[in-house]
Amino acid sequence: MTQALTVSLGDRSYPIYFTGSKNALAATITALRESGKSLRAIADQGALNTQPDFLRKAGFQEDEILVLPAGETTKSIDHFAQVLSFLAKGSINRDGSLFAFGGGVTGDLAGFTAASYLRGIDFYQIPTTLLSMVDSSVGGKTGINLPEGKNMVGAFWQPKAVFIETALLTTLLDREFSAGMAEVIKYGLLADNLLFKKLEELDQLKADSPELIEIVRQCCALKAMIVADDEKETASSGGRALLNLGHTFAHAIENAAGYGDYLHGEAVAIGLNLATQLSVELGQLEGNAVDRVSNVLKKYDLPIILKQPLDTNALIDAMGRDKKNRLGQLRFVTMTEIGKAVTTEEVDLELIQKLLKHVGAAS
């Protein structure tokens, strides 16, 4: 087994497997079974449709797999309850393990269920989308949505291991791949100027591009470093909150539009455009950055404006419920240069309203 990267969290440290990830997964499942532990898996229906034999070949039986619908609406209280019942009916005890096979929705739901069931069982991530490979499968943020806002119920619960098999991306829809690229672009903007320049210079990356695996590893390494320094986002400034570049806007867009209208990465792309504009308006960033960022987003067929108008007040209200806010004030992640992000508070509300109207929000 090839362990390419470790998320360093003391006795809760865990590996992210790249090369040889299928062998590492099969060996992990075999070892757990030999030790007498019960296993269950949650699988995204879309991932199973394109990879119907993956879990079976890894060592799972059909009755050990709960298949859930694809899409953001699966991150709900109803599906959370369904997964809890699936574990309870299978008599899974505290030494059982739950595996997530799917994108960020599946991983977030599985992780939160694992954190909650019997006050915590082990879980493992098998991400099947680019977005989940570079972002949501690493770091232990788990949760579900409420009608009032995204990820408003959740827990920090680290996986025991992450198995990244980029070959799974060859069956991903183009729209899903593009959505994942929004998170890749985010990492370049917040922490790695050279990565961003690489994305500017490369031809459009595809699932079978030879450069992709190293870029995925690069993003995971950046996230692992940030998570190790500020696991539960408690730093008074900077820290893990920087990973939310563009996300205050993005989560508000998803909420106001109704979950499922935008893929998460599509909303993030608009959020990155807005965060760049905000950074320029605040005098933190040079004006040409707006064109540089929007050009890279458009290269990957990502939106930079709203598909249709959303109510400005609804967007502002959703931002007011964002978890990153402090002392009742909106808190944004902005950039002082491409490759360096900061947390910014006390932003004038009229400026936010103006920027939202620039991307198509309605008065």
Side-chain angles (χ1 to χ4, degrees):
M1 291 189 292
T2 304
Q3 180 179 323
L5 191 63
T6 297
V7 181
S8 298
L9 292 168
D11 61 0
R12 292 174 298 109
S13 298
Y14 56 92
I16 306 172
Y17 294 103
F18 298 94
T19 305
S21 61
K22 280 186 179 179
N23 292 335
L25 173 62
T28 298
I29 290 171
T30 297
L32 290 170
R33 291 199 188 282
E34 288 178 349
S35 65
K37 296 181 178 179
S38 299
L39 310 182
R40 292 294 185 272
I42 300 176
D44 173 277
Q45 181 67 70
L48 271 190
N49 287 345
T50 56
Q51 302 288 339
D53 298 325
F54 188 93
L55 289 177
R56 179 182 58 79
K57 289 180 178 178
F60 282 97
Q61 304 298 317
E62 188 173 346
D63 62 355
E64 295 175 326
I65 303 168
L66 175 64
V67 183
L68 295 177
E72 190 71 29
T73 53
T74 296
K75 276 178 61 172
S76 67
I77 289 176
D78 288 344
H79 285 104
F80 171 60
Q82 183 182 356
V83 183
L84 288 172
S85 293
F86 173 64
L87 297 176
K89 289 175 181 176
S91 300
I92 305 302
N93 54 34
R94 293 189 70 182
D95 64 3
S97 295
L98 181 61
F99 287 71
F101 181 69
V105 167
T106 306
D108 285 2
L109 175 61
F112 182 50
T113 306
S116 307
Y117 182 72
L118 299 179
R119 299 190 177 92
I121 64 172
D122 291 344
F123 93 109
Y124 296 80
Q125 292 268 24
I126 313 168
T128 62
T129 66
L130 179 59
L131 189 148
S132 58
M133 288 180 186
V134 299
D135 193 66
S136 61
S137 66
V138 177
K141 271 192 177 180
T142 71
I144 57 175
N145 303 327
L146 297 178
E148 292 77 13
K150 183 161 179 168
N151 297 329
M152 292 191 74
V153 179
F156 288 95
W157 194 251
Q158 299 293 342
K160 301 298 288 183
V162 180
F163 305 93
I164 291 179
E165 182 61 48
T166 53
L168 293 173
L169 300 178
T170 58
T171 59
L172 202 62
L173 295 174
D174 289 345
R175 184 185 176 197
E176 289 275 3
F177 187 87
S178 292
M181 283 304 303
E183 292 286 358
V184 175
I185 294 165
K186 177 196 77 174
Y187 280 106
L189 291 173
L190 73 91
D192 194 334
N193 182 40
L194 293 179
L195 172 59
F196 185 79
K197 286 182 178 178
K198 185 186 297 185
L199 296 174
E200 285 183 300
E201 294 165 0
L202 283 170
D203 291 333
Q204 191 181 53
L205 283 171
K206 302 289 186 182
D208 57 357
S209 296
E211 302 91 349
L212 183 62
I213 183 63
E214 183 54 38
I215 287 173
V216 170
R217 184 184 283 107
Q218 220 170 329
C219 293
C220 289
L222 286 169
K223 183 159 190 181
M225 178 181 66
I226 292 169
V227 168
D229 288 341
D230 183 25
E231 180 187 0
K232 296 188 176 180
E233 206 170 302
T234 55
S236 58
S237 64
R240 186 166 181 165
L242 300 180
L243 293 168
N244 292 303
L245 178 66
H247 282 59
T248 298
F249 294 111
H251 288 169
I253 290 167
E254 290 178 276
N255 179 255
Y259 297 116
D261 195 19
Y262 288 83
L263 295 179
H264 177 62
E266 293 170 339
V268 168
I270 300 170
L272 292 175
N273 178 32
L274 283 163
T276 306
Q277 292 187 47
L278 176 59
S279 302
V280 171
E281 290 280 352
L282 294 174
Q284 298 175 331
L285 193 62
E286 293 182 1
N288 70 338
V290 174
D291 285 340
R292 289 182 66 190
V293 172
S294 63
N295 285 340
V296 171
L297 292 169
K298 287 187 286 188
K299 179 193 282 191
Y300 288 97
D301 303 316
L302 287 162
I304 59 172
I305 62 173
L306 297 170
K307 294 188 289 186
Q308 56 189 23
L310 295 174
D311 182 70
T312 302
N313 291 329
L315 290 165
I316 295 291
D317 288 346
M319 289 182 201
R321 297 188 291 270
D322 191 275
K323 303 181 300 303
K324 295 178 289 301
N325 295 338
R326 297 283 176 89
L327 301 175
Q329 292 184 330
L330 294 180
R331 191 177 193 227
F332 294 90
V333 182
T334 56
M335 292 170 282
T336 56
E337 59 185 81
I338 287 182
K340 185 175 182 181
V342 295
T343 48
T344 299
E345 299 176 11
E346 299 183 7
V347 178
D348 183 59
L349 189 58
E350 289 185 2
L351 173 57
I352 300 302
Q353 292 170 328
K354 182 181 83 169
L355 294 177
L356 289 172
K357 289 175 183 176
H358 281 175
V359 299
S363 299

